[in-house]
Amino acid sequence: MVGVKEVKRAKSNVEGITSHIDDANIQQFVNTKTNRPVTFSYQTVTWSELQIGVIHIPIQARPIYLKKPFGKLKANKVYIRRGSSTDIARPDEIAQMGTVSSNNFVEPEKDNPVFEAIRQEKEAGNTVIVEFVVHNFHRSEHLCKIVVLNELYACFVEEGIDRNYESPISHIEASYSLAAQKKKLIIYHSC
């Protein structure tokens, strides 16, 4: 996110920005530096009356790396996230990336009722309850705003904490929570 300052082991600070990046310029900038085109989008979001930018990178063919060094980043190195830090991928991790491409993912069905429910909540600017279920036994609930949404992917920001949660649409079920009178989105994670 642009306009959000990451703080190690603490809540990130939303500082906001006064001007946004031009999507066409950033697309050209990134794609002249990488070994293959990177599909992404830049969207403007208002959070607590501050403007921020959200860069959405959908699932796509990998690995992706820089052709030439840029800043602290090295050429021909594949970077991955390990928790909240960035690291250079090991050869076995890079090999595994090569087996997963966007072609392995099933296109969402047309008129997906879950996508439609999320879209309506996003357009209304509503807060939703996002429940994460890991291995069908660990559950946690978070009050979130939907900040990025397309037919494959949704990104949520937890209210008051500014923590991001992301999920493919295929991992989300929508139900109505009568107790809270809010839409509940249940996200199943297999990790």
PDB file of all heavy atoms in Angstrom, residues 22-53:
ATOM      1  N   ASP A  22       0.281   7.522 -11.308  1.00  0.00           N
ATOM      2  CA  ASP A  22      -0.436   7.256 -12.550  1.00  0.00           C
ATOM      3  C   ASP A  22      -0.265   5.785 -12.897  1.00  0.00           C
ATOM      4  O   ASP A  22       0.865   5.297 -13.020  1.00  0.00           O
ATOM      5  CB  ASP A  22       0.108   8.147 -13.677  1.00  0.00           C
ATOM      6  CG  ASP A  22      -0.591   7.870 -14.983  1.00  0.00           C
ATOM      7  OD1 ASP A  22      -1.792   8.186 -15.084  1.00  0.00           O
ATOM      8  OD2 ASP A  22       0.064   7.321 -15.896  1.00  0.00           O
ATOM      9  N   ASP A  23      -1.385   5.060 -13.035  1.00  0.00           N
ATOM     10  CA  ASP A  23      -1.339   3.616 -13.271  1.00  0.00           C
ATOM     11  C   ASP A  23      -0.524   3.269 -14.515  1.00  0.00           C
ATOM     12  O   ASP A  23       0.296   2.354 -14.493  1.00  0.00           O
ATOM     13  CB  ASP A  23      -2.759   3.056 -13.393  1.00  0.00           C
ATOM     14  CG  ASP A  23      -2.774   1.541 -13.485  1.00  0.00           C
ATOM     15  OD1 ASP A  23      -2.379   0.886 -12.509  1.00  0.00           O
ATOM     16  OD2 ASP A  23      -3.141   1.016 -14.552  1.00  0.00           O
ATOM     17  N   ALA A  24      -0.709   4.008 -15.611  1.00  0.00           N
ATOM     18  CA  ALA A  24       0.025   3.713 -16.853  1.00  0.00           C
ATOM     19  C   ALA A  24       1.530   3.886 -16.665  1.00  0.00           C
ATOM     20  O   ALA A  24       2.329   3.072 -17.143  1.00  0.00           O
ATOM     21  CB  ALA A  24      -0.469   4.612 -17.979  1.00  0.00           C
ATOM     22  N   ASN A  25       1.931   4.930 -15.927  1.00  0.00           N
ATOM     23  CA  ASN A  25       3.365   5.168 -15.695  1.00  0.00           C
ATOM     24  C   ASN A  25       3.992   4.062 -14.860  1.00  0.00           C
ATOM     25  O   ASN A  25       5.098   3.609 -15.145  1.00  0.00           O
ATOM     26  CB  ASN A  25       3.583   6.520 -15.022  1.00  0.00           C
ATOM     27  CG  ASN A  25       3.348   7.676 -15.967  1.00  0.00           C
ATOM     28  OD1 ASN A  25       3.318   7.511 -17.182  1.00  0.00           O
ATOM     29  ND2 ASN A  25       3.167   8.862 -15.404  1.00  0.00           N
ATOM     30  N   ILE A  26       3.302   3.630 -13.807  1.00  0.00           N
ATOM     31  CA  ILE A  26       3.884   2.588 -12.949  1.00  0.00           C
ATOM     32  C   ILE A  26       3.900   1.244 -13.684  1.00  0.00           C
ATOM     33  O   ILE A  26       4.834   0.462 -13.531  1.00  0.00           O
ATOM     34  CB  ILE A  26       3.184   2.492 -11.576  1.00  0.00           C
ATOM     35  CG1 ILE A  26       4.027   1.638 -10.624  1.00  0.00           C
ATOM     36  CG2 ILE A  26       1.782   1.973 -11.679  1.00  0.00           C
ATOM     37  CD1 ILE A  26       3.592   1.677  -9.186  1.00  0.00           C
ATOM     38  N   GLN A  27       2.883   0.986 -14.526  1.00  0.00           N
ATOM     39  CA  GLN A  27       2.880  -0.242 -15.326  1.00  0.00           C
ATOM     40  C   GLN A  27       4.115  -0.283 -16.229  1.00  0.00           C
ATOM     41  O   GLN A  27       4.827  -1.284 -16.293  1.00  0.00           O
ATOM     42  CB  GLN A  27       1.610  -0.315 -16.196  1.00  0.00           C
ATOM     43  CG  GLN A  27       0.324  -0.418 -15.434  1.00  0.00           C
ATOM     44  CD  GLN A  27      -0.048  -1.828 -15.038  1.00  0.00           C
ATOM     45  OE1 GLN A  27       0.514  -2.796 -15.525  1.00  0.00           O
ATOM     46  NE2 GLN A  27      -1.001  -1.939 -14.133  1.00  0.00           N
ATOM     47  N   GLN A  28       4.362   0.822 -16.921  1.00  0.00           N
ATOM     48  CA  GLN A  28       5.507   0.890 -17.838  1.00  0.00           C
ATOM     49  C   GLN A  28       6.820   0.781 -17.069  1.00  0.00           C
ATOM     50  O   GLN A  28       7.738   0.061 -17.465  1.00  0.00           O
ATOM     51  CB  GLN A  28       5.468   2.189 -18.637  1.00  0.00           C
ATOM     52  CG  GLN A  28       6.596   2.283 -19.645  1.00  0.00           C
ATOM     53  CD  GLN A  28       6.515   3.545 -20.479  1.00  0.00           C
ATOM     54  OE1 GLN A  28       5.649   4.383 -20.287  1.00  0.00           O
ATOM     55  NE2 GLN A  28       7.438   3.679 -21.408  1.00  0.00           N
ATOM     56  N   PHE A  29       6.924   1.484 -15.943  1.00  0.00           N
ATOM     57  CA  PHE A  29       8.148   1.472 -15.122  1.00  0.00           C
ATOM     58  C   PHE A  29       8.489   0.042 -14.682  1.00  0.00           C
ATOM     59  O   PHE A  29       9.613  -0.428 -14.874  1.00  0.00           O
ATOM     60  CB  PHE A  29       7.958   2.384 -13.909  1.00  0.00           C
ATOM     61  CG  PHE A  29       9.101   2.338 -12.944  1.00  0.00           C
ATOM     62  CD1 PHE A  29      10.263   3.045 -13.189  1.00  0.00           C
ATOM     63  CD2 PHE A  29       9.022   1.578 -11.783  1.00  0.00           C
ATOM     64  CE1 PHE A  29      11.329   3.006 -12.299  1.00  0.00           C
ATOM     65  CE2 PHE A  29      10.072   1.531 -10.895  1.00  0.00           C
ATOM     66  CZ  PHE A  29      11.227   2.245 -11.147  1.00  0.00           C
ATOM     67  N   VAL A  30       7.518  -0.663 -14.100  1.00  0.00           N
ATOM     68  CA  VAL A  30       7.767  -2.007 -13.585  1.00  0.00           C
ATOM     69  C   VAL A  30       8.082  -2.971 -14.713  1.00  0.00           C
ATOM     70  O   VAL A  30       9.046  -3.739 -14.649  1.00  0.00           O
ATOM     71  CB  VAL A  30       6.555  -2.506 -12.756  1.00  0.00           C
ATOM     72  CG1 VAL A  30       6.682  -3.994 -12.438  1.00  0.00           C
ATOM     73  CG2 VAL A  30       6.428  -1.700 -11.468  1.00  0.00           C
ATOM     74  N   ASN A  31       7.286  -2.929 -15.768  1.00  0.00           N
ATOM     75  CA  ASN A  31       7.419  -3.943 -16.814  1.00  0.00           C
ATOM     76  C   ASN A  31       8.633  -3.762 -17.726  1.00  0.00           C
ATOM     77  O   ASN A  31       8.966  -4.663 -18.482  1.00  0.00           O
ATOM     78  CB  ASN A  31       6.117  -4.062 -17.597  1.00  0.00           C
ATOM     79  CG  ASN A  31       5.061  -4.770 -16.769  1.00  0.00           C
ATOM     80  OD1 ASN A  31       5.321  -5.812 -16.181  1.00  0.00           O
ATOM     81  ND2 ASN A  31       3.880  -4.187 -16.680  1.00  0.00           N
ATOM     82  N   THR A  32       9.335  -2.637 -17.619  1.00  0.00           N
ATOM     83  CA  THR A  32      10.603  -2.511 -18.338  1.00  0.00           C
ATOM     84  C   THR A  32      11.758  -3.085 -17.523  1.00  0.00           C
ATOM     85  O   THR A  32      12.855  -3.253 -18.037  1.00  0.00           O
ATOM     86  CB  THR A  32      10.921  -1.038 -18.678  1.00  0.00           C
ATOM     87  OG1 THR A  32      10.988  -0.286 -17.474  1.00  0.00           O
ATOM     88  CG2 THR A  32       9.884  -0.456 -19.622  1.00  0.00           C
ATOM     89  N   LYS A  33      11.528  -3.376 -16.256  1.00  0.00           N
ATOM     90  CA  LYS A  33      12.598  -3.853 -15.381  1.00  0.00           C
ATOM     91  C   LYS A  33      12.555  -5.351 -15.089  1.00  0.00           C
ATOM     92  O   LYS A  33      13.508  -5.910 -14.591  1.00  0.00           O
ATOM     93  CB  LYS A  33      12.547  -3.079 -14.067  1.00  0.00           C
ATOM     94  CG  LYS A  33      12.775  -1.585 -14.287  1.00  0.00           C
ATOM     95  CD  LYS A  33      13.074  -0.868 -13.016  1.00  0.00           C
ATOM     96  CE  LYS A  33      13.384   0.574 -13.196  1.00  0.00           C
ATOM     97  NZ  LYS A  33      14.127   0.983 -14.355  1.00  0.00           N
ATOM     98  N   THR A  34      11.419  -6.011 -15.369  1.00  0.00           N
ATOM     99  CA  THR A  34      11.269  -7.413 -14.993  1.00  0.00           C
ATOM    100  C   THR A  34      11.445  -8.356 -16.179  1.00  0.00           C
ATOM    101  O   THR A  34      11.310  -7.967 -17.328  1.00  0.00           O
ATOM    102  CB  THR A  34       9.883  -7.649 -14.357  1.00  0.00           C
ATOM    103  OG1 THR A  34       8.874  -7.197 -15.261  1.00  0.00           O
ATOM    104  CG2 THR A  34       9.763  -6.917 -13.032  1.00  0.00           C
ATOM    105  N   ASN A  35      11.743  -9.620 -15.858  1.00  0.00           N
ATOM    106  CA  ASN A  35      11.984 -10.638 -16.882  1.00  0.00           C
ATOM    107  C   ASN A  35      10.731 -10.984 -17.685  1.00  0.00           C
ATOM    108  O   ASN A  35      10.836 -11.504 -18.786  1.00  0.00           O
ATOM    109  CB  ASN A  35      12.546 -11.912 -16.252  1.00  0.00           C
ATOM    110  CG  ASN A  35      11.558 -12.577 -15.312  1.00  0.00           C
ATOM    111  OD1 ASN A  35      10.955 -11.927 -14.455  1.00  0.00           O
ATOM    112  ND2 ASN A  35      11.395 -13.871 -15.447  1.00  0.00           N
ATOM    113  N   ARG A  36       9.556 -10.741 -17.146  1.00  0.00           N
ATOM    114  CA  ARG A  36       8.297 -10.974 -17.849  1.00  0.00           C
ATOM    115  C   ARG A  36       7.302  -9.925 -17.367  1.00  0.00           C
ATOM    116  O   ARG A  36       7.471  -9.363 -16.283  1.00  0.00           O
ATOM    117  CB  ARG A  36       7.769 -12.382 -17.609  1.00  0.00           C
ATOM    118  CG  ARG A  36       7.297 -12.608 -16.181  1.00  0.00           C
ATOM    119  CD  ARG A  36       6.687 -13.972 -15.965  1.00  0.00           C
ATOM    120  NE  ARG A  36       7.725 -14.968 -15.874  1.00  0.00           N
ATOM    121  CZ  ARG A  36       7.541 -16.248 -16.100  1.00  0.00           C
ATOM    122  NH1 ARG A  36       6.362 -16.700 -16.436  1.00  0.00           N
ATOM    123  NH2 ARG A  36       8.530 -17.102 -15.989  1.00  0.00           N
ATOM    124  N   PRO A  37       6.285  -9.624 -18.147  1.00  0.00           N
ATOM    125  CA  PRO A  37       5.311  -8.618 -17.696  1.00  0.00           C
ATOM    126  C   PRO A  37       4.636  -9.035 -16.397  1.00  0.00           C
ATOM    127  O   PRO A  37       4.333 -10.201 -16.191  1.00  0.00           O
ATOM    128  CB  PRO A  37       4.299  -8.566 -18.841  1.00  0.00           C
ATOM    129  CG  PRO A  37       5.009  -9.122 -20.025  1.00  0.00           C
ATOM    130  CD  PRO A  37       5.985 -10.123 -19.485  1.00  0.00           C
ATOM    131  N   VAL A  38       4.431  -8.075 -15.516  1.00  0.00           N
ATOM    132  CA  VAL A  38       3.743  -8.299 -14.250  1.00  0.00           C
ATOM    133  C   VAL A  38       2.358  -7.686 -14.369  1.00  0.00           C
ATOM    134  O   VAL A  38       2.217  -6.513 -14.704  1.00  0.00           O
ATOM    135  CB  VAL A  38       4.496  -7.632 -13.076  1.00  0.00           C
ATOM    136  CG1 VAL A  38       3.771  -7.881 -11.761  1.00  0.00           C
ATOM    137  CG2 VAL A  38       5.935  -8.102 -13.003  1.00  0.00           C
ATOM    138  N   THR A  39       1.344  -8.493 -14.124  1.00  0.00           N
ATOM    139  CA  THR A  39      -0.026  -7.996 -14.149  1.00  0.00           C
ATOM    140  C   THR A  39      -0.359  -7.440 -12.774  1.00  0.00           C
ATOM    141  O   THR A  39      -0.225  -8.148 -11.772  1.00  0.00           O
ATOM    142  CB  THR A  39      -1.006  -9.132 -14.504  1.00  0.00           C
ATOM    143  OG1 THR A  39      -0.626  -9.672 -15.766  1.00  0.00           O
ATOM    144  CG2 THR A  39      -2.433  -8.635 -14.560  1.00  0.00           C
ATOM    145  N   PHE A  40      -0.755  -6.180 -12.716  1.00  0.00           N
ATOM    146  CA  PHE A  40      -1.156  -5.573 -11.451  1.00  0.00           C
ATOM    147  C   PHE A  40      -2.011  -4.348 -11.740  1.00  0.00           C
ATOM    148  O   PHE A  40      -2.106  -3.886 -12.870  1.00  0.00           O
ATOM    149  CB  PHE A  40       0.050  -5.197 -10.582  1.00  0.00           C
ATOM    150  CG  PHE A  40       0.908  -4.101 -11.146  1.00  0.00           C
ATOM    151  CD1 PHE A  40       0.728  -2.785 -10.747  1.00  0.00           C
ATOM    152  CD2 PHE A  40       1.909  -4.380 -12.071  1.00  0.00           C
ATOM    153  CE1 PHE A  40       1.524  -1.776 -11.261  1.00  0.00           C
ATOM    154  CE2 PHE A  40       2.708  -3.378 -12.585  1.00  0.00           C
ATOM    155  CZ  PHE A  40       2.513  -2.075 -12.185  1.00  0.00           C
ATOM    156  N   SER A  41      -2.653  -3.837 -10.698  1.00  0.00           N
ATOM    157  CA  SER A  41      -3.446  -2.613 -10.844  1.00  0.00           C
ATOM    158  C   SER A  41      -3.218  -1.726  -9.636  1.00  0.00           C
ATOM    159  O   SER A  41      -2.880  -2.201  -8.552  1.00  0.00           O
ATOM    160  CB  SER A  41      -4.937  -2.929 -10.994  1.00  0.00           C
ATOM    161  OG  SER A  41      -5.423  -3.555  -9.824  1.00  0.00           O
ATOM    162  N   TYR A  42      -3.400  -0.436  -9.837  1.00  0.00           N
ATOM    163  CA  TYR A  42      -3.264   0.555  -8.769  1.00  0.00           C
ATOM    164  C   TYR A  42      -4.638   1.182  -8.563  1.00  0.00           C
ATOM    165  O   TYR A  42      -5.255   1.645  -9.525  1.00  0.00           O
ATOM    166  CB  TYR A  42      -2.240   1.620  -9.161  1.00  0.00           C
ATOM    167  CG  TYR A  42      -2.074   2.710  -8.112  1.00  0.00           C
ATOM    168  CD1 TYR A  42      -1.181   2.552  -7.064  1.00  0.00           C
ATOM    169  CD2 TYR A  42      -2.826   3.875  -8.173  1.00  0.00           C
ATOM    170  CE1 TYR A  42      -1.034   3.538  -6.110  1.00  0.00           C
ATOM    171  CE2 TYR A  42      -2.683   4.865  -7.212  1.00  0.00           C
ATOM    172  CZ  TYR A  42      -1.785   4.690  -6.181  1.00  0.00           C
ATOM    173  OH  TYR A  42      -1.648   5.665  -5.230  1.00  0.00           O
ATOM    174  N   GLN A  43      -5.128   1.155  -7.324  1.00  0.00           N
ATOM    175  CA  GLN A  43      -6.439   1.713  -7.026  1.00  0.00           C
ATOM    176  C   GLN A  43      -6.336   2.690  -5.870  1.00  0.00           C
ATOM    177  O   GLN A  43      -5.555   2.487  -4.927  1.00  0.00           O
ATOM    178  CB  GLN A  43      -7.427   0.608  -6.669  1.00  0.00           C
ATOM    179  CG  GLN A  43      -7.648  -0.356  -7.809  1.00  0.00           C
ATOM    180  CD  GLN A  43      -8.578  -1.494  -7.437  1.00  0.00           C
ATOM    181  OE1 GLN A  43      -8.870  -1.738  -6.276  1.00  0.00           O
ATOM    182  NE2 GLN A  43      -9.061  -2.207  -8.443  1.00  0.00           N
ATOM    183  N   THR A  44      -7.139   3.750  -5.930  1.00  0.00           N
ATOM    184  CA  THR A  44      -7.170   4.727  -4.846  1.00  0.00           C
ATOM    185  C   THR A  44      -8.268   4.336  -3.861  1.00  0.00           C
ATOM    186  O   THR A  44      -9.346   3.893  -4.257  1.00  0.00           O
ATOM    187  CB  THR A  44      -7.431   6.143  -5.384  1.00  0.00           C
ATOM    188  OG1 THR A  44      -8.695   6.159  -6.040  1.00  0.00           O
ATOM    189  CG2 THR A  44      -6.352   6.562  -6.356  1.00  0.00           C
ATOM    190  N   VAL A  45      -7.961   4.479  -2.571  1.00  0.00           N
ATOM    191  CA  VAL A  45      -8.887   4.104  -1.502  1.00  0.00           C
ATOM    192  C   VAL A  45      -8.867   5.201  -0.442  1.00  0.00           C
ATOM    193  O   VAL A  45      -7.806   5.746  -0.136  1.00  0.00           O
ATOM    194  CB  VAL A  45      -8.466   2.747  -0.869  1.00  0.00           C
ATOM    195  CG1 VAL A  45      -9.325   2.398   0.325  1.00  0.00           C
ATOM    196  CG2 VAL A  45      -8.493   1.639  -1.901  1.00  0.00           C
ATOM    197  N   THR A  46     -10.025   5.510   0.124  1.00  0.00           N
ATOM    198  CA  THR A  46     -10.097   6.432   1.253  1.00  0.00           C
ATOM    199  C   THR A  46     -10.210   5.603   2.520  1.00  0.00           C
ATOM    200  O   THR A  46     -11.076   4.732   2.637  1.00  0.00           O
ATOM    201  CB  THR A  46     -11.325   7.363   1.126  1.00  0.00           C
ATOM    202  OG1 THR A  46     -11.223   8.082  -0.098  1.00  0.00           O
ATOM    203  CG2 THR A  46     -11.389   8.342   2.289  1.00  0.00           C
ATOM    204  N   TRP A  47      -9.321   5.869   3.475  1.00  0.00           N
ATOM    205  CA  TRP A  47      -9.311   5.137   4.750  1.00  0.00           C
ATOM    206  C   TRP A  47      -9.176   6.160   5.863  1.00  0.00           C
ATOM    207  O   TRP A  47      -8.203   6.907   5.907  1.00  0.00           O
ATOM    208  CB  TRP A  47      -8.160   4.136   4.786  1.00  0.00           C
ATOM    209  CG  TRP A  47      -8.116   3.363   6.061  1.00  0.00           C
ATOM    210  CD1 TRP A  47      -7.279   3.566   7.114  1.00  0.00           C
ATOM    211  CD2 TRP A  47      -8.968   2.287   6.429  1.00  0.00           C
ATOM    212  NE1 TRP A  47      -7.551   2.677   8.109  1.00  0.00           N
ATOM    213  CE2 TRP A  47      -8.594   1.876   7.725  1.00  0.00           C
ATOM    214  CE3 TRP A  47     -10.022   1.633   5.803  1.00  0.00           C
ATOM    215  CZ2 TRP A  47      -9.226   0.838   8.386  1.00  0.00           C
ATOM    216  CZ3 TRP A  47     -10.644   0.600   6.473  1.00  0.00           C
ATOM    217  CH2 TRP A  47     -10.240   0.212   7.743  1.00  0.00           C
ATOM    218  N   SER A  48     -10.149   6.210   6.749  1.00  0.00           N
ATOM    219  CA  SER A  48     -10.155   7.174   7.863  1.00  0.00           C
ATOM    220  C   SER A  48      -9.900   8.594   7.345  1.00  0.00           C
ATOM    221  O   SER A  48      -9.083   9.329   7.885  1.00  0.00           O
ATOM    222  CB  SER A  48      -9.118   6.801   8.921  1.00  0.00           C
ATOM    223  OG  SER A  48      -9.374   5.514   9.429  1.00  0.00           O
ATOM    224  N   GLU A  49     -10.584   8.946   6.249  1.00  0.00           N
ATOM    225  CA  GLU A  49     -10.514  10.265   5.621  1.00  0.00           C
ATOM    226  C   GLU A  49      -9.157  10.585   5.000  1.00  0.00           C
ATOM    227  O   GLU A  49      -8.885  11.725   4.650  1.00  0.00           O
ATOM    228  CB  GLU A  49     -10.948  11.358   6.595  1.00  0.00           C
ATOM    229  CG  GLU A  49     -12.385  11.180   7.078  1.00  0.00           C
ATOM    230  CD  GLU A  49     -12.829  12.265   8.032  1.00  0.00           C
ATOM    231  OE1 GLU A  49     -12.144  13.301   8.144  1.00  0.00           O
ATOM    232  OE2 GLU A  49     -13.869  12.061   8.659  1.00  0.00           O
ATOM    233  N   LEU A  50      -8.287   9.596   4.866  1.00  0.00           N
ATOM    234  CA  LEU A  50      -6.987   9.776   4.218  1.00  0.00           C
ATOM    235  C   LEU A  50      -6.967   8.976   2.917  1.00  0.00           C
ATOM    236  O   LEU A  50      -7.546   7.891   2.836  1.00  0.00           O
ATOM    237  CB  LEU A  50      -5.849   9.304   5.122  1.00  0.00           C
ATOM    238  CG  LEU A  50      -5.633  10.088   6.415  1.00  0.00           C
ATOM    239  CD1 LEU A  50      -4.634   9.349   7.307  1.00  0.00           C
ATOM    240  CD2 LEU A  50      -5.145  11.482   6.115  1.00  0.00           C
ATOM    241  N   GLN A  51      -6.306   9.502   1.904  1.00  0.00           N
ATOM    242  CA  GLN A  51      -6.157   8.804   0.631  1.00  0.00           C
ATOM    243  C   GLN A  51      -4.939   7.883   0.688  1.00  0.00           C
ATOM    244  O   GLN A  51      -3.867   8.296   1.127  1.00  0.00           O
ATOM    245  CB  GLN A  51      -5.959   9.819  -0.499  1.00  0.00           C
ATOM    246  CG  GLN A  51      -7.199  10.612  -0.832  1.00  0.00           C
ATOM    247  CD  GLN A  51      -8.203   9.760  -1.593  1.00  0.00           C
ATOM    248  OE1 GLN A  51      -7.879   9.126  -2.584  1.00  0.00           O
ATOM    249  NE2 GLN A  51      -9.433   9.752  -1.116  1.00  0.00           N
ATOM    250  N   ILE A  52      -5.125   6.633   0.263  1.00  0.00           N
ATOM    251  CA  ILE A  52      -4.017   5.698   0.140  1.00  0.00           C
ATOM    252  C   ILE A  52      -4.124   5.028  -1.230  1.00  0.00           C
ATOM    253  O   ILE A  52      -5.169   5.080  -1.875  1.00  0.00           O
ATOM    254  CB  ILE A  52      -3.989   4.633   1.266  1.00  0.00           C
ATOM    255  CG1 ILE A  52      -5.276   3.783   1.260  1.00  0.00           C
ATOM    256  CG2 ILE A  52      -3.765   5.269   2.616  1.00  0.00           C
ATOM    257  CD1 ILE A  52      -5.230   2.615   2.240  1.00  0.00           C
ATOM    258  N   GLY A  53      -3.059   4.405  -1.666  1.00  0.00           N
ATOM    259  CA  GLY A  53      -3.059   3.657  -2.914  1.00  0.00           C
ATOM    260  C   GLY A  53      -2.855   2.186  -2.618  1.00  0.00           C
ATOM    261  O   GLY A  53      -2.038   1.825  -1.778  1.00  0.00           O
TER     262      GLY A  53
END
